[in-house]
Amino acid sequence: MPTNRPNPMGTAESNYAERPSRIPGAVVWRLVPHRSQSSRILPDGCMDVIHSDGELFVAGPDTTAHLAWSTAGRRSTAVRFAPGTGPAFLGVAASELRNRRVPLRDLWPSGRVRRLTERLDEASDRASLLEDALLAVEADPDPLATRVLAHLRTGHPVAGVAAEIGMSERQLHRRGLFLYGYGLKTLDRILRLNGALDRARRGMAYATVAANSGYADQAHLSREVKALTGITLSELLR
């Protein structure tokens, strides 16, 4: 379950919580920063629908870390879709939202979004109301999304995934753009990075993290962390 968006900034600086959503594979998260500051949101292959005190917008899939400003006391409530499932609910290819934050009214009828935003502003349980609105879409996510993820997470190369699924690499690349926002090689890099960070956060030595995560060596791990997050692994873990 991805936990890189948002960066909760530590319990001393924010009130952050998440739980499994009633939407299959999704997560609901809530954040109320105790002080205003910038946070580094890492790429995770996901798309989020976020309500933040009068605003309702979509965070598209990122290719590198995104720096976001959090205002003290401003409540954010969101549904984070599992990788590849967001387009079914939002009605747009993930590639159209890549590295973007887009008002939901640009994707759904503006009147519908305005009424939903007003209800969310007044709701005591914003998370459940947002889930209800998304479940009402009656989306049917492409089962290919979970099949591809399963193959990548077990270490299959992109060519091997295409062969397992019975597609050409070009066909799979096009489907990947629609579902995830980028091709499978980029998605694989992001998934591998998140797996490595999970291991590093548990205190595993960096060289062991690299070996267990499919990197050639620790230097390769370091280069990928810097390329995808903008900072070093040690800085990131601090």
Side-chain angles (χ1 to χ4, degrees):
M1 182 183 302
T3 57
N4 293 315
R5 182 185 301 185
N7 181 342
M9 299 175 292
T11 55
E13 298 178 357
S14 68
N15 181 3
Y16 176 83
E18 65 176 47
R19 63 166 173 80
S21 172
R22 287 177 282 133
I23 299 169
V27 170
V28 171
W29 58 262
R30 288 167 290 182
L31 173 67
V32 185
H34 296 330
R35 65 184 181 88
S36 298
Q37 72 170 55
S38 176
S39 58
R40 185 177 301 271
I41 301 170
L42 305 186
D44 56 12
C46 298
M47 299 167 65
D48 299 43
V49 177
I50 303 172
H51 173 263
S52 184
D53 290 347
E55 296 183 10
L56 192 55
F57 63 98
V58 177
D62 293 321
T63 54
T64 57
H66 172 79
L67 295 179
W69 181 256
S70 300
T71 302
R74 184 169 187 175
R75 290 193 294 169
S76 295
T77 304
V79 170
R80 180 193 306 133
F81 296 110
T85 61
F89 290 88
L90 300 173
V92 64
S95 56
E96 295 295 319
L97 304 177
R98 182 176 56 237
N99 296 324
R100 298 177 63 197
R101 274 59 183 157
V102 177
L104 187 59
R105 65 177 178 271
D106 289 354
L107 308 178
W108 286 5
S110 59
R112 175 182 172 192
V113 174
R114 183 183 66 254
R115 291 188 294 272
L116 176 58
T117 304
E118 292 170 351
R119 292 175 61 202
L120 285 165
D121 286 341
E122 300 298 326
S124 59
D125 187 352
R126 296 180 175 182
S128 293
L129 179 56
L130 183 56
E131 282 182 293
D132 289 342
L134 292 168
L135 285 166
V137 175
E138 297 184 353
D140 186 19
D142 190 336
L144 179 68
T146 54
R147 291 179 63 197
V148 168
L149 284 173
H151 286 302
L152 289 177
R153 283 172 171 156
T154 54
H156 284 69
V158 173
V161 175
E164 288 284 344
I165 291 174
M167 289 183 170
S168 69
E169 288 188 57
R170 180 173 295 181
Q171 289 173 319
L172 193 55
H173 179 77
R174 288 197 297 266
R175 294 289 290 277
L177 290 176
F178 181 87
L179 294 171
Y180 309 109
Y182 24 69
L184 265 62
K185 290 184 179 180
T186 298
L187 177 63
D188 187 39
R189 290 178 67 200
I190 289 170
L191 295 176
R192 184 183 303 177
L193 171 71
N194 280 280
L197 293 178
D198 286 343
R199 294 181 177 95
R201 291 183 184 112
R202 293 197 295 268
M204 186 179 289
Y206 293 173
T208 307
V209 168
N212 289 355
S213 303
Y215 294 99
D217 51 30
Q218 185 175 333
H220 183 200
L221 168 64
S222 298
R223 289 194 300 272
E224 281 292 275
V225 170
K226 188 67 178 291
L228 293 173
T229 74
I231 57 178
T232 66
L233 181 55
S234 296
E235 290 172 320
L236 190 61
L237 295 179
R238 284 201 299 270

